[in-house]
PDB file of all heavy atoms in Angstrom:
ATOM      1  N   LEU X  94      85.831 181.383  82.025  1.00  0.00           N
ATOM      2  CA  LEU X  94      87.247 181.499  81.712  1.00  0.00           C
ATOM      3  C   LEU X  94      87.498 182.063  80.322  1.00  0.00           C
ATOM      4  O   LEU X  94      88.646 182.323  79.966  1.00  0.00           O
ATOM      5  CB  LEU X  94      87.924 180.127  81.835  1.00  0.00           C
ATOM      6  CG  LEU X  94      87.952 179.536  83.249  1.00  0.00           C
ATOM      7  CD1 LEU X  94      88.638 178.184  83.250  1.00  0.00           C
ATOM      8  CD2 LEU X  94      88.634 180.476  84.219  1.00  0.00           C
ATOM      9  N   ASP X  95      86.432 182.250  79.531  1.00  0.00           N
ATOM     10  CA  ASP X  95      86.595 182.885  78.226  1.00  0.00           C
ATOM     11  C   ASP X  95      86.607 184.405  78.352  1.00  0.00           C
ATOM     12  O   ASP X  95      86.946 185.109  77.411  1.00  0.00           O
ATOM     13  CB  ASP X  95      85.469 182.451  77.274  1.00  0.00           C
ATOM     14  CG  ASP X  95      84.097 182.812  77.824  1.00  0.00           C
ATOM     15  OD1 ASP X  95      83.908 182.746  79.052  1.00  0.00           O
ATOM     16  OD2 ASP X  95      83.220 183.159  77.024  1.00  0.00           O
ATOM     17  N   HIS X  96      86.225 184.932  79.524  1.00  0.00           N
ATOM     18  CA  HIS X  96      86.308 186.374  79.789  1.00  0.00           C
ATOM     19  C   HIS X  96      86.557 186.561  81.291  1.00  0.00           C
ATOM     20  O   HIS X  96      85.752 187.122  82.016  1.00  0.00           O
ATOM     21  CB  HIS X  96      85.029 187.103  79.347  1.00  0.00           C
ATOM     22  CG  HIS X  96      83.767 186.566  79.936  1.00  0.00           C
ATOM     23  ND1 HIS X  96      83.154 185.425  79.486  1.00  0.00           N
ATOM     24  CD2 HIS X  96      83.003 187.004  80.972  1.00  0.00           C
ATOM     25  CE1 HIS X  96      82.072 185.190  80.199  1.00  0.00           C
ATOM     26  NE2 HIS X  96      81.959 186.137  81.125  1.00  0.00           N
ATOM     27  N   VAL X  97      87.717 186.077  81.720  1.00  0.00           N
ATOM     28  CA  VAL X  97      88.044 186.019  83.146  1.00  0.00           C
ATOM     29  C   VAL X  97      87.903 187.370  83.822  1.00  0.00           C
ATOM     30  O   VAL X  97      87.322 187.495  84.900  1.00  0.00           O
ATOM     31  CB  VAL X  97      89.488 185.492  83.330  1.00  0.00           C
ATOM     32  CG1 VAL X  97      89.940 185.645  84.775  1.00  0.00           C
ATOM     33  CG2 VAL X  97      89.570 184.038  82.896  1.00  0.00           C
ATOM     34  N   TYR X  98      88.416 188.407  83.174  1.00  0.00           N
ATOM     35  CA  TYR X  98      88.545 189.702  83.847  1.00  0.00           C
ATOM     36  C   TYR X  98      87.215 190.434  84.000  1.00  0.00           C
ATOM     37  O   TYR X  98      87.176 191.502  84.607  1.00  0.00           O
ATOM     38  CB  TYR X  98      89.542 190.577  83.093  1.00  0.00           C
ATOM     39  CG  TYR X  98      90.859 189.880  82.864  1.00  0.00           C
ATOM     40  CD1 TYR X  98      91.248 189.469  81.593  1.00  0.00           C
ATOM     41  CD2 TYR X  98      91.690 189.593  83.937  1.00  0.00           C
ATOM     42  CE1 TYR X  98      92.447 188.813  81.389  1.00  0.00           C
ATOM     43  CE2 TYR X  98      92.890 188.926  83.742  1.00  0.00           C
ATOM     44  CZ  TYR X  98      93.264 188.545  82.468  1.00  0.00           C
ATOM     45  OH  TYR X  98      94.448 187.882  82.278  1.00  0.00           O
ATOM     46  N   ARG X  99      86.135 189.856  83.483  1.00  0.00           N
ATOM     47  CA  ARG X  99      84.811 190.467  83.653  1.00  0.00           C
ATOM     48  C   ARG X  99      83.840 189.554  84.400  1.00  0.00           C
ATOM     49  O   ARG X  99      82.662 189.861  84.483  1.00  0.00           O
ATOM     50  CB  ARG X  99      84.223 190.849  82.291  1.00  0.00           C
ATOM     51  CG  ARG X  99      84.937 192.014  81.631  1.00  0.00           C
ATOM     52  CD  ARG X  99      84.125 192.577  80.466  1.00  0.00           C
ATOM     53  NE  ARG X  99      84.720 193.809  79.974  1.00  0.00           N
ATOM     54  CZ  ARG X  99      85.563 193.893  78.961  1.00  0.00           C
ATOM     55  NH1 ARG X  99      85.904 192.795  78.328  1.00  0.00           N
ATOM     56  NH2 ARG X  99      86.069 195.055  78.588  1.00  0.00           N
ATOM     57  N   THR X 100      84.332 188.445  84.921  1.00  0.00           N
ATOM     58  CA  THR X 100      83.455 187.551  85.668  1.00  0.00           C
ATOM     59  C   THR X 100      83.163 188.137  87.048  1.00  0.00           C
ATOM     60  O   THR X 100      83.968 188.881  87.618  1.00  0.00           O
ATOM     61  CB  THR X 100      84.108 186.170  85.837  1.00  0.00           C
ATOM     62  OG1 THR X 100      85.389 186.336  86.462  1.00  0.00           O
ATOM     63  CG2 THR X 100      84.300 185.494  84.490  1.00  0.00           C
ATOM     64  N   TRP X 101      82.005 187.758  87.590  1.00  0.00           N
ATOM     65  CA  TRP X 101      81.619 188.286  88.900  1.00  0.00           C
ATOM     66  C   TRP X 101      82.587 187.851  89.979  1.00  0.00           C
ATOM     67  O   TRP X 101      82.889 188.610  90.912  1.00  0.00           O
ATOM     68  CB  TRP X 101      80.203 187.829  89.234  1.00  0.00           C
ATOM     69  CG  TRP X 101      80.074 186.342  89.452  1.00  0.00           C
ATOM     70  CD1 TRP X 101      79.746 185.395  88.532  1.00  0.00           C
ATOM     71  CD2 TRP X 101      80.301 185.652  90.686  1.00  0.00           C
ATOM     72  NE1 TRP X 101      79.748 184.137  89.097  1.00  0.00           N
ATOM     73  CE2 TRP X 101      80.078 184.270  90.428  1.00  0.00           C
ATOM     74  CE3 TRP X 101      80.664 186.050  91.978  1.00  0.00           C
ATOM     75  CZ2 TRP X 101      80.229 183.300  91.406  1.00  0.00           C
ATOM     76  CZ3 TRP X 101      80.802 185.084  92.957  1.00  0.00           C
ATOM     77  CH2 TRP X 101      80.583 183.725  92.667  1.00  0.00           C
ATOM     78  N   TRP X 102      83.098 186.608  89.882  1.00  0.00           N
ATOM     79  CA  TRP X 102      83.963 186.119  90.948  1.00  0.00           C
ATOM     80  C   TRP X 102      85.325 186.796  90.931  1.00  0.00           C
ATOM     81  O   TRP X 102      85.924 187.049  91.987  1.00  0.00           O
ATOM     82  CB  TRP X 102      84.103 184.591  90.876  1.00  0.00           C
ATOM     83  CG  TRP X 102      84.521 184.035  89.550  1.00  0.00           C
ATOM     84  CD1 TRP X 102      83.703 183.568  88.562  1.00  0.00           C
ATOM     85  CD2 TRP X 102      85.859 183.880  89.053  1.00  0.00           C
ATOM     86  NE1 TRP X 102      84.440 183.128  87.474  1.00  0.00           N
ATOM     87  CE2 TRP X 102      85.767 183.299  87.757  1.00  0.00           C
ATOM     88  CE3 TRP X 102      87.117 184.141  89.574  1.00  0.00           C
ATOM     89  CZ2 TRP X 102      86.894 183.024  86.988  1.00  0.00           C
ATOM     90  CZ3 TRP X 102      88.248 183.864  88.806  1.00  0.00           C
ATOM     91  CH2 TRP X 102      88.122 183.297  87.534  1.00  0.00           C
ATOM     92  N   PHE X 103      85.840 187.127  89.730  1.00  0.00           N
ATOM     93  CA  PHE X 103      87.129 187.822  89.673  1.00  0.00           C
ATOM     94  C   PHE X 103      86.984 189.245  90.200  1.00  0.00           C
ATOM     95  O   PHE X 103      87.843 189.727  90.964  1.00  0.00           O
ATOM     96  CB  PHE X 103      87.653 187.830  88.235  1.00  0.00           C
ATOM     97  CG  PHE X 103      89.018 188.468  88.101  1.00  0.00           C
ATOM     98  CD1 PHE X 103      90.149 187.807  88.529  1.00  0.00           C
ATOM     99  CD2 PHE X 103      89.159 189.740  87.553  1.00  0.00           C
ATOM    100  CE1 PHE X 103      91.405 188.381  88.412  1.00  0.00           C
ATOM    101  CE2 PHE X 103      90.406 190.324  87.431  1.00  0.00           C
ATOM    102  CZ  PHE X 103      91.532 189.643  87.863  1.00  0.00           C
ATOM    103  N   LEU X 104      85.903 189.928  89.821  1.00  0.00           N
ATOM    104  CA  LEU X 104      85.670 191.281  90.332  1.00  0.00           C
ATOM    105  C   LEU X 104      85.442 191.246  91.840  1.00  0.00           C
ATOM    106  O   LEU X 104      85.867 192.166  92.555  1.00  0.00           O
ATOM    107  CB  LEU X 104      84.465 191.902  89.624  1.00  0.00           C
ATOM    108  CG  LEU X 104      84.627 192.154  88.117  1.00  0.00           C
ATOM    109  CD1 LEU X 104      83.341 192.709  87.530  1.00  0.00           C
ATOM    110  CD2 LEU X 104      85.788 193.095  87.844  1.00  0.00           C
ATOM    111  N   ALA X 105      84.786 190.189  92.349  1.00  0.00           N
ATOM    112  CA  ALA X 105      84.577 190.070  93.793  1.00  0.00           C
ATOM    113  C   ALA X 105      85.902 189.903  94.526  1.00  0.00           C
ATOM    114  O   ALA X 105      86.108 190.484  95.609  1.00  0.00           O
ATOM    115  CB  ALA X 105      83.649 188.889  94.090  1.00  0.00           C
ATOM    116  N   ILE X 106      86.827 189.144  93.941  1.00  0.00           N
ATOM    117  CA  ILE X 106      88.149 188.984  94.557  1.00  0.00           C
ATOM    118  C   ILE X 106      88.884 190.320  94.594  1.00  0.00           C
ATOM    119  O   ILE X 106      89.517 190.674  95.602  1.00  0.00           O
ATOM    120  CB  ILE X 106      88.971 187.917  93.799  1.00  0.00           C
ATOM    121  CG1 ILE X 106      88.333 186.539  93.952  1.00  0.00           C
ATOM    122  CG2 ILE X 106      90.403 187.879  94.318  1.00  0.00           C
ATOM    123  CD1 ILE X 106      89.005 185.466  93.128  1.00  0.00           C
ATOM    124  N   LEU X 107      88.797 191.074  93.486  1.00  0.00           N
ATOM    125  CA  LEU X 107      89.447 192.389  93.452  1.00  0.00           C
ATOM    126  C   LEU X 107      88.865 193.316  94.516  1.00  0.00           C
ATOM    127  O   LEU X 107      89.605 194.023  95.216  1.00  0.00           O
ATOM    128  CB  LEU X 107      89.289 193.016  92.069  1.00  0.00           C
ATOM    129  CG  LEU X 107      89.997 192.339  90.896  1.00  0.00           C
ATOM    130  CD1 LEU X 107      89.796 193.162  89.624  1.00  0.00           C
ATOM    131  CD2 LEU X 107      91.475 192.165  91.178  1.00  0.00           C
ATOM    132  N   ILE X 108      87.543 193.317  94.636  1.00  0.00           N
ATOM    133  CA  ILE X 108      86.903 194.189  95.626  1.00  0.00           C
ATOM    134  C   ILE X 108      87.279 193.765  97.042  1.00  0.00           C
ATOM    135  O   ILE X 108      87.572 194.611  97.911  1.00  0.00           O
ATOM    136  CB  ILE X 108      85.375 194.173  95.435  1.00  0.00           C
ATOM    137  CG1 ILE X 108      85.007 194.830  94.094  1.00  0.00           C
ATOM    138  CG2 ILE X 108      84.678 194.896  96.577  1.00  0.00           C
ATOM    139  CD1 ILE X 108      83.553 194.694  93.731  1.00  0.00           C
ATOM    140  N   LEU X 109      87.301 192.460  97.301  1.00  0.00           N
ATOM    141  CA  LEU X 109      87.668 191.968  98.623  1.00  0.00           C
ATOM    142  C   LEU X 109      89.121 192.296  98.944  1.00  0.00           C
ATOM    143  O   LEU X 109      89.456 192.685 100.077  1.00  0.00           O
ATOM    144  CB  LEU X 109      87.437 190.458  98.691  1.00  0.00           C
ATOM    145  CG  LEU X 109      87.572 189.802 100.077  1.00  0.00           C
ATOM    146  CD1 LEU X 109      86.610 190.445 101.069  1.00  0.00           C
ATOM    147  CD2 LEU X 109      87.313 188.309  99.976  1.00  0.00           C
ATOM    148  N   PHE X 110      90.001 192.173  97.947  1.00  0.00           N
ATOM    149  CA  PHE X 110      91.409 192.532  98.156  1.00  0.00           C
ATOM    150  C   PHE X 110      91.550 194.027  98.421  1.00  0.00           C
ATOM    151  O   PHE X 110      92.350 194.442  99.263  1.00  0.00           O
ATOM    152  CB  PHE X 110      92.233 192.123  96.938  1.00  0.00           C
ATOM    153  CG  PHE X 110      93.711 192.372  97.090  1.00  0.00           C
ATOM    154  CD1 PHE X 110      94.424 191.752  98.093  1.00  0.00           C
ATOM    155  CD2 PHE X 110      94.371 193.231  96.236  1.00  0.00           C
ATOM    156  CE1 PHE X 110      95.791 191.978  98.239  1.00  0.00           C
ATOM    157  CE2 PHE X 110      95.722 193.462  96.379  1.00  0.00           C
ATOM    158  CZ  PHE X 110      96.444 192.831  97.379  1.00  0.00           C
ATOM    159  N   GLY X 111      90.778 194.839  97.694  1.00  0.00           N
ATOM    160  CA  GLY X 111      90.779 196.276  97.956  1.00  0.00           C
ATOM    161  C   GLY X 111      90.296 196.587  99.359  1.00  0.00           C
ATOM    162  O   GLY X 111      90.841 197.471 100.040  1.00  0.00           O
ATOM    163  N   GLY X 112      89.262 195.863  99.821  1.00  0.00           N
ATOM    164  CA  GLY X 112      88.792 196.048 101.190  1.00  0.00           C
ATOM    165  C   GLY X 112      89.845 195.658 102.217  1.00  0.00           C
ATOM    166  O   GLY X 112      89.993 196.320 103.251  1.00  0.00           O
ATOM    167  N   SER X 113      90.618 194.597 101.911  1.00  0.00           N
ATOM    168  CA  SER X 113      91.686 194.180 102.814  1.00  0.00           C
ATOM    169  C   SER X 113      92.778 195.244 102.903  1.00  0.00           C
ATOM    170  O   SER X 113      93.275 195.551 103.988  1.00  0.00           O
ATOM    171  CB  SER X 113      92.278 192.849 102.332  1.00  0.00           C
ATOM    172  OG  SER X 113      93.356 192.443 103.152  1.00  0.00           O
TER     173      SER X 113
END
Side-chain angles (χ1 to χ4, degrees):
L94 295 180
D95 59 324
H96 55 282
V97 170
Y98 307 110
R99 290 194 172 95
T100 56
W101 67 267
W102 53 265
F103 183 74
L104 295 177
I106 294 174
L107 294 184
I108 293 172
L109 189 57
F110 184 61
S113 177

